[in-house]
Amino acid sequence: MEDNEPRQLTLSAAQHDRMRIATAPVERRYPAAKIRLVGKVAYDETRLAYITAWVPGRIDELWVDYTGVAVREGDRMLKLYSPELLSAQEELLQALRSQSELSKSKVASLRRSAAGTVEAARDRLRLWGLSGEQIADIERGGQTSEHVTLFSPASGIVIHRNAQEGMYVDIGTRMFTVADLDALWVQLDAYESDLQWLRYGQTVNFTTEAYPGERFSGLVSFIDPVLDPQTRTVNVRVNVANKEGRLKPEMFVRAEVSADLASNGQIVDQNLVGKWISPMHPEIIKDVPGQCEICGMDLVPAESLGYASARDMQAKAPLVIPATAALLTGKRAVVYVEQSATERPTYIGREVVLGPRAGDSYVVESGLSEGELVVVSGNFKIDSALQIQAKP
């Protein structure tokens, strides 16, 4: 070995072979990272329907008397006795009789007043939960009913039942909760170091304990802006279709997100370059500005959500080196660069500024040029030899 300059080491051919030194070029490419997350399946809160009492009364009969039963929209749930509802029905019938008596009146104001009273009585019954068909039955039959039947407002599974036969309820008392399981959420926990790779609208692949080896997928729909102080993680929510009903709430999942990084820190997704996306529904993607057909919100450009634009794609890819090339020494990162045009293998240590790590690679912010050869195997031996020679 020769002692020439600080941080420089020159080896003989035999020494080079014994140290088993290998190099790799500094190259420009989009580094890929795979982020692994864990979490569980949860109900889609936007698909929960609550059956509450719109009028005070007493539950006299239950048709749905246990949780877990599947119901369809319009199915009977319970029968409610309500004196207030009985009084409102009598008011409607009285208003109809008055309208009939005044229908031949020559005074137009009286006819309009009678019609308005009938409509107000109908509105009151609607506000108390009666359907248009139920109100029409009361008008056709001309008789009041002491009971009103409440129907399911949505199709799904009854996940909570608070109603009991004989119990009294007040306005707003929640009696049932129905969940539509055709679409679910997957709630994942991401560490702080993972956030730079996560974006709204990304595809997430995951597996479950129930179906080993089978992969499911969904789209990131929400990244919590607040860190959990206990777990030091951020909640990431994924929208998942579940038409076949195979996924169940509370299932444990293991997820993986793949991301390519552009030179400016943006995430590269070829399917979103130049696209417009709904800020509430990540599955809505269009080529031109417009509104989301689900929520009506204006679409936003994908680059505003952290994705690379067409302009970013035309710029040079970031410089990348293998992760094994960097020796991290606390505040510094050092790599050994092979010198060209030398008679014997020569290596010089160089401090570099590293960006994020992406899988088995590091992004290089400064200190290296494209095409230079960096030591990826044997760099610890070079470093030790320099220390023995009291070099930096």
Side-chain angles (χ1 to χ4, degrees):
M1 301 181 187
E2 295 183 1
D3 187 357
N4 297 322
E5 298 177 3
R7 291 186 181 172
Q8 177 175 315
L9 184 67
T10 301
L11 306 175
S12 66
Q15 290 169 336
H16 178 273
D17 293 340
R18 285 198 300 270
M19 295 175 72
R20 296 183 180 179
I21 294 173
T23 60
V26 180
E27 55 185 355
R28 289 191 178 274
R29 60 181 172 85
Y30 297 120
K34 290 188 181 296
I35 309 302
R36 290 176 174 81
L37 311 168
V38 295
K40 64 179 182 178
V41 180
Y43 298 110
D44 183 340
E45 294 178 4
T46 66
R47 291 175 174 261
L48 295 180
Y50 302 100
I51 300 175
T52 60
W54 291 15
V55 61
R58 183 185 67 235
I59 299 174
D60 279 355
E61 188 172 358
L62 278 178
W63 285 290
V64 176
D65 54 2
Y66 65 93
T67 59
V69 64
V71 296
R72 297 185 301 272
E73 183 178 356
D75 282 356
R76 298 183 306 169
M77 303 293 286
L78 59 83
K79 183 183 288 185
L80 185 72
Y81 166 75
S82 173
E84 287 85 350
L85 199 58
L86 179 61
S87 176
Q89 294 176 63
E90 292 174 347
E91 289 178 7
L92 173 61
L93 295 178
Q94 180 60 42
L96 288 170
R97 286 192 290 268
S98 297
Q99 183 185 35
S100 178
E101 293 172 359
L102 294 173
S103 62
K104 299 179 181 179
S105 173
K106 297 180 180 180
V107 183
S109 60
L110 290 178
R111 294 197 302 272
R112 288 195 298 271
S113 176
T117 302
V118 170
E119 195 58 36
R122 288 171 179 160
D123 287 342
R124 187 178 181 187
L125 289 173
R126 291 191 194 100
L127 291 174
W128 278 356
L130 268 68
S131 65
E133 184 178 349
Q134 287 174 303
I135 296 173
D137 288 342
I138 294 171
E139 294 180 8
R140 284 194 298 267
Q143 294 183 346
T144 60
S145 173
E146 294 181 345
H147 294 85
V148 60
T149 300
L150 299 187
F151 301 93
S152 175
S155 300
I157 305 296
V158 176
I159 59 173
H160 292 296
R161 179 182 69 88
N162 300 323
Q164 300 285 349
E165 285 191 7
M167 74 177 288
Y168 283 84
V169 296
D170 204 349
I171 296 176
T173 301
R174 184 180 298 178
M175 297 176 288
F176 295 98
T177 302
V178 177
D180 180 2
L181 302 185
D182 285 349
L184 295 170
W185 286 350
V186 171
Q187 303 280 16
L188 302 172
D189 294 324
Y191 291 108
E192 295 176 65
S193 57
D194 297 334
L195 292 179
Q196 61 187 328
W197 301 103
L198 298 174
R199 297 292 187 274
Y200 171 89
Q202 275 180 310
T203 298
V204 177
N205 298 306
F206 63 93
T207 59
T208 66
E209 298 291 332
Y211 309 106
E214 185 172 353
R215 294 169 69 86
F216 300 87
S217 64
L219 297 175
V220 175
S221 60
F222 179 74
I223 299 175
D224 200 323
V226 180
L227 192 76
D228 188 316
Q230 302 298 323
T231 63
R232 307 304 301 169
T233 60
V234 170
N235 175 256
V236 177
R237 190 172 72 216
V238 179
N239 288 355
V240 179
N242 188 41
K243 291 293 185 182
E244 297 179 358
R246 303 181 70 199
L247 297 175
K248 315 293 183 185
E250 300 301 324
M251 275 185 172
F252 180 78
V253 304
R254 291 182 174 88
E256 183 178 272
V257 181
S258 298
D260 294 342
L261 188 69
S263 56
N264 57 358
Q266 303 289 74
I267 296 298
V268 177
D269 188 330
Q270 299 288 350
N271 296 323
L272 292 177
V273 176
K275 303 292 186 179
W276 294 74
I277 186 170
S278 168
M280 290 291 291
H281 299 90
E283 67 273 18
I284 304 300
I285 302 171
K286 296 186 178 180
D287 295 329
V288 295
Q291 285 76 40
C292 175
E293 53 261 33
I294 299 176
C295 62
M297 295 184 67
D298 290 337
L299 304 181
V300 298
E303 53 261 34
S304 68
L305 300 173
Y307 290 99
S309 64
R311 182 178 61 258
D312 298 327
M313 297 295 291
Q314 293 173 357
K316 289 184 177 180
L319 288 173
V320 176
I321 60 172
T324 55
L327 299 180
L328 305 180
T329 59
K331 296 181 180 180
R332 299 181 305 157
V334 176
V335 299
Y336 287 97
V337 182
E338 184 177 82
Q339 300 301 292
S340 60
T342 56
E343 293 183 1
R344 291 191 290 173
T346 302
Y347 304 93
I348 293 182
R350 190 182 301 172
E351 289 189 23
V352 296
V353 178
L354 298 179
R357 177 167 178 166
D360 294 331
S361 303
Y362 273 114
V363 174
V364 179
E365 301 291 347
S366 64
L368 291 172
S369 300
E370 183 179 4
E372 289 188 300
L373 295 177
V374 294
V375 178
V376 296
S377 177
N379 44 0
F380 282 101
K381 297 175 182 177
I382 295 175
D383 194 67
S384 299
L386 287 173
Q387 292 185 48
I388 291 172
Q389 297 178 24
K391 291 187 176 182

